[in-house]
Amino acid sequence: MKRLSALLICGLFVFLLNGCQDSAADRSGVEVIIDGDEGFPEFLVGRWKADTDGWEFVFEEDGAISSAVISLGKVRMKPGQVTTVPMKKGGKGIYEPGEWLVQYTAAERELIVKISLKNLYLELGEDVIEGSSIDVFAGQISEDGDYWPVEWTTFPRYRAHTAEHPNFKFYDDPNESSTKSLVFEKVKEK
């Protein structure tokens, strides 16, 4: 069932990227595609936070994501900018985003976000984790505009370099993915 969900989401992305009516130009590392005449809806603008796993997105008026907190390390990233953070056991963590995508279909109130992590490098004492990942979030916005229940599908490609395992892969198949349900809630600014 998880493989079927992942394949459906991948197929949806191919359709969306090739078959949408209105595709906006690249916005500093974020492509925004809006299907409908009204543009990106005002009720989606702002900060959205997931109920688990630490994910968070900040949507701008044009639909672009200005920052995202990713689950791996709970690190806030900005599109097109490398983020470097200190690690608890010494060393550093380097997060380089790839291209991000926001797709909104007004008729179905469907929002899809793709976050690509082009390069990841984490020093954990003497050990190192490196790789890349793609995370896809797809779901329908609630009628009141306050909730976004999604299926989160992740495609990780990580390797660990330790004394015991100098090149341990966290994945076996580049098409391997996992899917989990999350609920994002619009954060009310005070």
Short mmCIF file of all heavy atoms in Angstrom, two decimals, residues 38-63:
data_model
loop_
_atom_site.label_atom_id
_atom_site.label_comp_id
_atom_site.label_asym_id
_atom_site.label_seq_id
_atom_site.Cartn_x
_atom_site.Cartn_y
_atom_site.Cartn_z
N GLU A 38 -7.64 32.77 -9.35
CA GLU A 38 -7.59 33.68 -8.20
C GLU A 38 -6.20 33.91 -7.64
O GLU A 38 -6.00 34.76 -6.79
CB GLU A 38 -8.48 33.16 -7.06
CG GLU A 38 -9.96 33.09 -7.40
CD GLU A 38 -10.33 31.83 -8.18
OE1 GLU A 38 -9.79 30.74 -7.88
OE2 GLU A 38 -11.15 31.94 -9.08
N GLY A 39 -5.20 33.15 -8.05
CA GLY A 39 -3.87 33.26 -7.46
C GLY A 39 -3.79 32.48 -6.17
O GLY A 39 -4.70 31.72 -5.80
N PHE A 40 -2.70 32.66 -5.46
CA PHE A 40 -2.50 31.95 -4.19
C PHE A 40 -3.42 32.57 -3.14
O PHE A 40 -3.41 33.78 -2.92
CB PHE A 40 -1.03 32.06 -3.75
CG PHE A 40 -0.65 31.07 -2.70
CD1 PHE A 40 -0.51 29.73 -3.00
CD2 PHE A 40 -0.41 31.48 -1.40
CE1 PHE A 40 -0.14 28.80 -2.03
CE2 PHE A 40 -0.05 30.56 -0.41
CZ PHE A 40 0.08 29.22 -0.74
N PRO A 41 -4.24 31.76 -2.46
CA PRO A 41 -5.23 32.31 -1.53
C PRO A 41 -4.61 32.94 -0.28
O PRO A 41 -3.65 32.41 0.28
CB PRO A 41 -6.10 31.11 -1.16
CG PRO A 41 -5.37 29.91 -1.60
CD PRO A 41 -4.34 30.31 -2.59
N GLU A 42 -5.18 34.03 0.15
CA GLU A 42 -4.71 34.77 1.33
C GLU A 42 -4.72 33.90 2.59
O GLU A 42 -3.84 34.01 3.43
CB GLU A 42 -5.57 36.02 1.53
CG GLU A 42 -5.20 36.85 2.74
CD GLU A 42 -3.80 37.46 2.65
OE1 GLU A 42 -3.35 37.77 1.54
OE2 GLU A 42 -3.17 37.63 3.71
N PHE A 43 -5.70 33.00 2.72
CA PHE A 43 -5.79 32.20 3.95
C PHE A 43 -4.62 31.22 4.09
O PHE A 43 -4.37 30.72 5.18
CB PHE A 43 -7.14 31.46 4.05
CG PHE A 43 -7.34 30.35 3.07
CD1 PHE A 43 -6.87 29.06 3.34
CD2 PHE A 43 -7.99 30.57 1.86
CE1 PHE A 43 -7.06 28.02 2.45
CE2 PHE A 43 -8.19 29.54 0.96
CZ PHE A 43 -7.72 28.26 1.25
N LEU A 44 -3.88 30.95 3.01
CA LEU A 44 -2.72 30.06 3.10
C LEU A 44 -1.44 30.81 3.46
O LEU A 44 -0.45 30.19 3.87
CB LEU A 44 -2.51 29.33 1.78
CG LEU A 44 -3.52 28.23 1.46
CD1 LEU A 44 -3.23 27.64 0.08
CD2 LEU A 44 -3.52 27.15 2.51
N VAL A 45 -1.45 32.13 3.32
CA VAL A 45 -0.24 32.91 3.61
C VAL A 45 0.04 32.88 5.11
O VAL A 45 -0.85 33.06 5.92
CB VAL A 45 -0.43 34.38 3.12
CG1 VAL A 45 0.77 35.24 3.54
CG2 VAL A 45 -0.64 34.42 1.62
N GLY A 46 1.29 32.62 5.47
CA GLY A 46 1.69 32.58 6.87
C GLY A 46 2.38 31.27 7.21
O GLY A 46 2.81 30.51 6.34
N ARG A 47 2.45 31.00 8.51
CA ARG A 47 3.21 29.86 9.03
C ARG A 47 2.27 28.68 9.30
O ARG A 47 1.23 28.83 9.95
CB ARG A 47 3.92 30.28 10.32
CG ARG A 47 4.89 29.25 10.85
CD ARG A 47 5.88 29.85 11.85
NE ARG A 47 5.27 30.37 13.03
CZ ARG A 47 5.27 29.77 14.22
NH1 ARG A 47 5.88 28.62 14.37
NH2 ARG A 47 4.69 30.34 15.24
N TRP A 48 2.67 27.51 8.81
CA TRP A 48 1.95 26.26 9.01
C TRP A 48 2.88 25.27 9.70
O TRP A 48 4.00 25.07 9.26
CB TRP A 48 1.49 25.69 7.66
CG TRP A 48 0.40 26.50 7.04
CD1 TRP A 48 0.53 27.69 6.39
CD2 TRP A 48 -0.98 26.18 7.03
NE1 TRP A 48 -0.68 28.12 5.97
CE2 TRP A 48 -1.64 27.22 6.34
CE3 TRP A 48 -1.73 25.12 7.52
CZ2 TRP A 48 -3.01 27.22 6.14
CZ3 TRP A 48 -3.09 25.12 7.31
CH2 TRP A 48 -3.72 26.16 6.64
N LYS A 49 2.39 24.66 10.78
CA LYS A 49 3.22 23.76 11.59
C LYS A 49 2.56 22.39 11.69
O LYS A 49 1.36 22.28 11.95
CB LYS A 49 3.40 24.36 12.98
CG LYS A 49 4.36 23.62 13.85
CD LYS A 49 4.61 24.36 15.15
CE LYS A 49 5.45 23.52 16.06
NZ LYS A 49 6.70 24.04 16.39
N ALA A 50 3.37 21.32 11.52
CA ALA A 50 2.86 19.95 11.59
C ALA A 50 2.67 19.50 13.03
O ALA A 50 3.37 19.95 13.93
CB ALA A 50 3.81 18.99 10.87
N ASP A 51 1.72 18.58 13.24
CA ASP A 51 1.42 18.08 14.59
C ASP A 51 2.54 17.19 15.13
O ASP A 51 2.65 17.02 16.34
CB ASP A 51 0.07 17.35 14.60
CG ASP A 51 -0.01 16.20 13.61
OD1 ASP A 51 0.82 16.12 12.67
OD2 ASP A 51 -0.92 15.36 13.75
N THR A 52 3.36 16.60 14.26
CA THR A 52 4.50 15.79 14.69
C THR A 52 5.66 15.98 13.73
O THR A 52 5.51 16.56 12.66
CB THR A 52 4.15 14.28 14.73
OG1 THR A 52 3.81 13.86 13.41
CG2 THR A 52 3.00 13.97 15.68
N ASP A 53 6.81 15.51 14.10
CA ASP A 53 8.01 15.44 13.27
C ASP A 53 8.68 16.79 12.97
O ASP A 53 9.66 16.83 12.25
CB ASP A 53 7.74 14.70 11.96
CG ASP A 53 7.44 13.23 12.21
OD1 ASP A 53 8.38 12.51 12.61
OD2 ASP A 53 6.28 12.81 12.05
N GLY A 54 8.16 17.89 13.50
CA GLY A 54 8.86 19.16 13.44
C GLY A 54 8.73 19.98 12.16
O GLY A 54 9.28 21.07 12.07
N TRP A 55 8.04 19.50 11.15
CA TRP A 55 7.92 20.24 9.90
C TRP A 55 7.17 21.55 10.07
O TRP A 55 6.21 21.62 10.83
CB TRP A 55 7.22 19.39 8.84
CG TRP A 55 8.08 18.33 8.26
CD1 TRP A 55 8.11 17.02 8.64
CD2 TRP A 55 9.04 18.47 7.23
NE1 TRP A 55 9.04 16.33 7.90
CE2 TRP A 55 9.63 17.22 7.01
CE3 TRP A 55 9.48 19.55 6.46
CZ2 TRP A 55 10.62 16.98 6.06
CZ3 TRP A 55 10.46 19.33 5.51
CH2 TRP A 55 11.01 18.07 5.32
N GLU A 56 7.61 22.55 9.33
CA GLU A 56 6.96 23.87 9.35
C GLU A 56 7.26 24.58 8.03
O GLU A 56 8.38 24.50 7.51
CB GLU A 56 7.53 24.68 10.51
CG GLU A 56 6.88 26.00 10.73
CD GLU A 56 7.49 26.73 11.92
OE1 GLU A 56 7.56 26.11 13.01
OE2 GLU A 56 7.89 27.89 11.75
N PHE A 57 6.26 25.27 7.47
CA PHE A 57 6.43 26.05 6.24
C PHE A 57 5.90 27.45 6.45
O PHE A 57 4.87 27.64 7.11
CB PHE A 57 5.66 25.42 5.07
CG PHE A 57 6.03 24.00 4.78
CD1 PHE A 57 5.08 22.99 4.85
CD2 PHE A 57 7.32 23.65 4.44
CE1 PHE A 57 5.41 21.67 4.58
CE2 PHE A 57 7.66 22.34 4.18
CZ PHE A 57 6.71 21.35 4.25
N VAL A 58 6.57 28.44 5.85
CA VAL A 58 6.08 29.81 5.83
C VAL A 58 5.81 30.17 4.37
O VAL A 58 6.75 30.24 3.56
CB VAL A 58 7.08 30.80 6.47
CG1 VAL A 58 6.55 32.22 6.37
CG2 VAL A 58 7.36 30.43 7.92
N PHE A 59 4.53 30.38 4.04
CA PHE A 59 4.11 30.72 2.69
C PHE A 59 3.97 32.23 2.56
O PHE A 59 3.38 32.89 3.42
CB PHE A 59 2.76 30.07 2.34
CG PHE A 59 2.80 28.57 2.29
CD1 PHE A 59 2.34 27.81 3.35
CD2 PHE A 59 3.29 27.92 1.17
CE1 PHE A 59 2.36 26.42 3.30
CE2 PHE A 59 3.32 26.53 1.11
CZ PHE A 59 2.86 25.78 2.17
N GLU A 60 4.48 32.77 1.45
CA GLU A 60 4.37 34.20 1.14
C GLU A 60 3.13 34.44 0.27
O GLU A 60 2.48 33.49 -0.17
CB GLU A 60 5.64 34.69 0.44
CG GLU A 60 6.89 34.56 1.30
CD GLU A 60 6.80 35.36 2.60
OE1 GLU A 60 6.31 36.51 2.57
OE2 GLU A 60 7.23 34.83 3.64
N GLU A 61 2.83 35.70 -0.01
CA GLU A 61 1.62 36.06 -0.76
C GLU A 61 1.59 35.47 -2.16
O GLU A 61 0.52 35.20 -2.70
CB GLU A 61 1.47 37.58 -0.83
CG GLU A 61 1.13 38.18 0.51
CD GLU A 61 0.98 39.70 0.46
OE1 GLU A 61 1.10 40.29 -0.63
OE2 GLU A 61 0.74 40.28 1.53
N ASP A 62 2.75 35.25 -2.77
CA ASP A 62 2.79 34.67 -4.11
C ASP A 62 2.81 33.15 -4.09
O ASP A 62 2.86 32.51 -5.13
CB ASP A 62 3.98 35.21 -4.90
CG ASP A 62 5.33 34.82 -4.31
OD1 ASP A 62 5.36 34.19 -3.23
OD2 ASP A 62 6.35 35.14 -4.93
N GLY A 63 2.78 32.55 -2.90
CA GLY A 63 2.78 31.10 -2.76
C GLY A 63 4.15 30.50 -2.50
O GLY A 63 4.26 29.33 -2.18
#
